[in-house]
Every structure is written in structure tokens, then in C-alpha cells.
Amino acid sequence: MTTLRPDDRNQAVLILQKQLNAQGAGLYLDGHYGESTEQAVQAFQRRAGLVADGVAGPKTLAALAGQDTGHLLKQRDLEQAAERLGLPLASVLAVNRVESKGEGFLPNGKPAILFERHVMRERLLEHRYVLPGLASPEATVESLETRYPGLVNTRPGGYAGGVAEHQRLASARQIHDTAALESASWGLFQIMGYHWQRLGYARVQEFAHAMAESEARQLEAFVRFVEADPALHKALQGRRWAEFAKRYNGPAYGKNLYDVKLARAYAQFAGQPEAA
């Protein structure tokens, strides 16, 4: 689904303005996503309980169309996360905009995931899994690599995307349920399943169930992830965006300008000049 942003000019913006007017916005229908349209979007988002960021993404458009948004992230969820982490709301809004996938669920209602075949190999070795008739975990992963290279491999890749990632996960679960669930990244913030224990879940199955419940539960996993890493937490509290991005995204964070995007998003939500 299309995402409409400030300064867009197209037919989709005109349709958006008509939908907002049906909600009482009183906009001039010019197809330009100007300040008045942005304010009208934010006002609708607040009424709907959605994240009030002024961007008309799939969630806002779904709400305007009258679809159920009960499982989607709400403004109050972000406010509670900010309070729990000791952060200004603007910091959490910035992280949500830059570091989240935007949608924690697929159109079929399943949580957004990405199955990592190289992690599956590592987790099978970690669990010391041995297939019947084989002598060791090492022999097992070698056999599985030959038979199922899309599920067990030394190299990342093999992604199918979208709903098909759940088909990959289902096949991997037939090999080893726990290792498979640990080998996928889950939800809005792409938290890897193998973090389940340090995040305080009893089992990875409990973690996966929580990720399938709502985007609020996915945000809670992110909050736990930050709390479990004091250095990451302090970087976020101090708005040291480069350090936070490096710890969260890895050393290649600069290629995608994560730190720059975080700083700009924070400045916008905090109402500061962009130079901040």
C-alpha cells in the first residue's frame, strides 16, 4: 500500500484529502500534501489512537477505510515505552520511524519475519542437534546444507519475502522447532528470535507467540532489547545517534545514514530546527 508524505503531489493525495474531508477536515482539494493536510492526518491519527506522525502510511489509510486497527501500534504504546526507558517521546518516535519496518504484520495477519538460513545453521550447532544415523552436529548440518540449502547454509540469503518467509520458517520448524524460531527476525523492530532468553521470555515459542499478538508486543520486545544492553540504552538516552545506530544496526550503519535519519527525525518530532 502507498505511503503518502508531506510535499507529495499526486492523485493519491487528492483521494486522501477527500477521505479526510469525509471525517470533517475541510481541506481544499488540490492534491498537495501541504501543512494543512499533514495537520489533518495528525488529527485523524490522534482520534484513531494511531501514531500521530503526520505520515499517511498503510495503517492510517487502513483506518480511514474503516478497517480493524486493534493489533496496530498506538500512540499510547510509544508514550509508555518512552516513560519506561526514560526518554522524551520524540526519541521513541524517531526510532519508530527510522528503525522499524513500518508494518509489523503482513496482509494475511501473520507477523512480519525474515528467516536467516545461516543463523539456522549456527543454532543447530548450538543445540548440538544430530540426525538419526549421523555421528555429530557437524555432520548433521553438512547433510542438511546439501538437502535443504535454502534453509541451512553457511551464507546469508535465500530470502523469499512476505508470506513466503513463513513457508520457509514452517519447513525449518520441521527440522528443529526451537532453532527455526530462533533463526527468524520478528516484527516491527526485526528482533532475532535467539535473543528470547536475555529479553526475559520463558521459551522462544513464547517470544514468537507474543510477536504474533500485536505491534504493541513487538514494541515491548524492542524495549526489553534496549533495557538488556546498558550501553545501547545510554546512547539512546544521550541521543548519541551514531553510537546507537552502530550498536543496533552494526558497523555498516553509515551506509544507510541511520544516524543522520535518527537525528533528523528527532529534530522534527521535538520541534527543533533540522540542524539539530
Side-chain angles (χ1 to χ4, degrees):
M1 189 178 290
T2 302
T3 294
L4 302 174
R5 304 178 184 278
D7 292 330
D8 284 351
R9 294 176 184 268
N10 52 48
Q11 185 68 20
V13 174
L14 181 62
I15 294 172
L16 170 65
Q17 290 173 330
K18 291 179 179 179
Q19 291 176 314
L20 290 168
N21 280 353
Q23 300 287 330
L27 295 170
Y28 177 67
L29 302 177
D30 58 0
H32 174 220
Y33 204 128
E35 183 177 353
S36 58
T37 299
E38 182 180 5
Q39 291 174 349
V41 168
Q42 288 179 315
F44 173 78
Q45 290 169 329
R46 292 189 188 97
R47 291 197 302 275
L50 298 174
V51 178
D53 59 3
V55 175
K59 300 174 187 179
T60 299
L61 297 176
L64 278 167
Q67 298 177 22
D68 178 30
T69 61
H71 64 295
L72 301 181
L73 196 65
K74 302 296 192 293
Q75 183 78 5
R76 66 176 178 271
D77 299 324
L78 293 173
E79 292 170 353
Q80 290 169 355
E83 182 177 356
R84 178 169 164 179
L85 291 173
L87 300 169
L89 179 59
S91 290
V92 177
L93 288 169
V95 171
N96 180 61
R97 171 174 288 186
V98 176
E99 298 289 2
S100 82
K101 292 174 64 65
E103 294 181 84
F105 287 85
L106 301 171
N108 67 352
K110 291 187 176 181
I113 66 166
L114 195 64
F115 180 77
E116 301 287 359
R117 64 186 187 182
H118 66 293
V119 176
M120 179 69 173
R121 185 182 189 279
E122 294 168 1
R123 300 314 298 170
L124 288 170
L125 290 172
E126 179 71 21
H127 290 292
R128 306 305 293 167
Y129 176 62
V130 179
L131 282 169
L134 295 180
S136 67
E138 289 74 18
T140 292
V141 296
E142 288 180 11
S143 175
L144 290 170
E145 281 182 83
T146 301
R147 294 163 59 188
Y148 309 109
L151 302 178
V152 182
N153 210 302
T154 57
R155 297 179 300 170
Y159 307 117
V163 176
E165 288 297 313
H166 280 276
Q167 296 169 356
R168 296 178 70 213
L169 176 62
S171 297
R173 293 182 73 173
Q174 293 180 15
I175 297 172
H176 193 289
D177 187 66
T178 294
L181 293 172
E182 290 175 338
S183 301
S185 61
W186 294 81
L188 280 171
F189 297 93
Q190 305 129 72
I191 304 293
M192 288 299 301
Y194 62 74
H195 290 300
W196 63 268
Q197 191 168 22
R198 66 189 288 260
L199 301 186
Y201 296 93
R203 300 182 304 153
V204 69
Q205 288 79 5
E206 178 188 341
F207 168 79
H209 179 74
M211 298 306 95
E213 283 188 13
S214 68
E215 289 183 349
R217 298 298 301 274
Q218 295 172 7
L219 175 64
E220 180 187 357
F222 170 78
V223 170
R224 293 188 186 194
F225 187 87
V226 173
E227 289 176 330
D229 186 339
L232 182 71
H233 195 176
K234 288 180 181 179
L236 186 54
Q237 287 179 320
R239 294 192 285 282
R240 298 192 297 274
W241 300 119
E243 182 179 349
F244 173 81
K246 181 178 180 180
R247 290 183 175 277
Y248 191 73
N249 299 291
Y253 73 93
K255 292 182 180 180
N256 292 308
L257 301 176
Y258 284 119
D259 56 329
V260 175
K261 293 175 182 177
L262 284 163
R264 288 177 176 172
Y266 173 80
Q268 177 188 344
F269 289 123
Q272 297 178 358
E274 188 166 309

